[in-house]
Amino acid sequence: YIKSVSHEKIPLLHSTETYDLINRCDEVASSVAAWSGDGLHFILKDKAALEKHFLTTKYASFIKQLNNYGFTKINSKLEESG
């Protein structure tokens, strides 16, 4: 999964928490979640591991929260093509 965001729509607290979560995954478990090569998007790669080891909520709830705060899903083929 690849997500992008319009920063104007996201409360600072949620934006910071998401940023920290992706940074933590990118540093210690990039097979779970990571930043894209350009650093503008993040990629959710392993939802089971993300939910088990990094989230304090269910994966589906996390995705709903992202959607509520203006994050949008980008086609996963985008990452493959660069």
Side-chain angles (χ1 to χ4, degrees):
Y1 293 85
I2 302 174
K3 301 283 179 177
S4 79
V5 62
S6 169
H7 295 287
E8 303 82 36
K9 295 182 180 178
I10 300 174
L12 182 60
L13 180 61
H14 191 276
S15 178
T16 302
E17 290 172 355
T18 302
Y19 179 84
D20 290 344
L21 171 71
I22 301 304
N23 269 348
R24 194 167 64 245
C25 288
D26 197 30
E27 292 171 0
V28 299
S30 60
S31 63
V32 175
W35 292 104
S36 61
D38 61 11
L40 297 176
H41 309 94
F42 60 90
I43 305 148
L44 304 177
K45 301 177 181 181
D46 185 341
K47 70 179 186 178
L50 184 69
E51 183 176 55
K52 182 177 180 181
H53 300 290
F54 294 95
L55 295 178
T56 58
T57 183
K58 296 285 186 188
Y59 181 83
S61 296
F62 176 66
I63 297 300
K64 285 180 185 178
Q65 289 173 6
L66 291 176
N67 291 332
N68 287 338
Y69 288 114
F71 286 78
T72 57
K73 183 175 181 178
I74 299 175
N75 188 337
S76 59
K77 299 213 183 258
L78 178 66
E79 183 198 43
E80 295 170 8
S81 65

